[in-house]
């Protein structure tokens, strides 16, 4: 799972809404936004930690002269060393964090469901917001068919097309030039 900043508030809202709808938790009206903000904070901290993790991988590879084609191997080793979730483990990690937060949050009056039920419902929400990165790349590739693969021009066009696809899907915000 890749977590996009633009999706974070929606994931938090949908999680709290699903648990409230099924009476799994009790949150007083004015505290709903605060309970959602707690989940947003968890996801933002994860994204900060993940960014730091990726930078450490790049530094490690650069310092040791490891070629980029071994990125996955280095990432796997370092994720185990640093106990940092990757891939499908991200959803499970966030789910555990959400449940723990619900149990201790001062904005959640009561938790009625057991951990197993909470886990299943939260995972449904997280999986519902899963982004298929392969599909985005395929869409981007279909838009740049007129450029030969393997060229610098292709890579530049692909990056631009992927970004445009993500903007269209609301995964990232379109940056507008600053006025001077």
């Amino acid at each position: 799972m890749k977590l996009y900043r633009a999706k974070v508030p929606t994931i938090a809202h949908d999680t709290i809404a699903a648990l409230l709808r099924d009476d799994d938790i009790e949150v007083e009206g004015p505290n709903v936004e605060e309970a959602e903000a707690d989940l947003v904070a968890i996801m933002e901290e994860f994204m900060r930690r993940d960014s730091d993790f990726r930078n450490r991988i790049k530094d490690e590879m650069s310092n040791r002269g490891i070629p980029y084609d071994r990125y996955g191997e280095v990432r796997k080793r370092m994720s185990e060393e640093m106990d940092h979730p990757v891939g499908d483990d991200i959803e499970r990690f966030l789910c555990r964090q959400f449940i723990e937060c619900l149990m201790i949050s001062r904005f959640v009056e009561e938790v009625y469901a057991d951990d197993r039920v909470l886990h299943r419902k939260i995972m449904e929400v997280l999986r519902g917001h899963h982004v298929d990165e392969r599909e985005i790349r395929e869409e981007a590739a279909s838009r740049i068919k007129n450029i030969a693969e393997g060229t610098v021009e292709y890579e530049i066009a692909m990056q631009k097309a992927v970004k445009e696809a993500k903007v269209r899907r609301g995964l990232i915000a379109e940056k507008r030039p600053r006025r001077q």
Side-chain angles (χ1 to χ4, degrees), residues 66-118:
I66 300 171
Y68 188 76
D69 64 346
R70 292 188 47 211
Y71 180 86
E73 178 184 318
V74 174
R75 179 176 174 236
K76 183 178 187 315
R77 178 181 53 79
M78 288 184 71
S79 73
E80 290 169 359
E81 289 172 6
M82 297 173 64
D83 195 29
H84 183 78
V86 293
D88 291 340
D89 290 340
I90 294 170
E91 290 171 343
R92 289 187 286 277
F93 172 81
L94 290 173
C95 185
R96 285 190 308 270
Q97 293 291 308
F98 286 6
I99 292 170
E100 186 176 316
C101 176
L102 293 171
M103 296 295 182
I104 64 172
S105 175
R106 62 188 177 117
F107 303 111
V108 176
E109 277 68 43
E110 191 67 48
V111 177
Y112 297 111
D114 67 15
D115 287 3
R116 188 175 34 81
V117 171
L118 293 173

Side-chain angles (χ1 to χ4, degrees), residues 3 5 8 37-53 84 93-94 97-98:
L3 199 54
R5 193 165 307 283
V8 165
D38 284 347
L39 301 186
V40 166
I42 289 168
M43 290 182 276
E44 286 178 346
E45 173 59 20
F46 172 78
M47 288 186 302
R48 186 206 58 75
R49 182 179 166 200
D50 191 57
S51 177
D52 182 51
F53 173 68
H84 183 78
F93 172 81
L94 290 173
Q97 293 291 308
F98 286 6

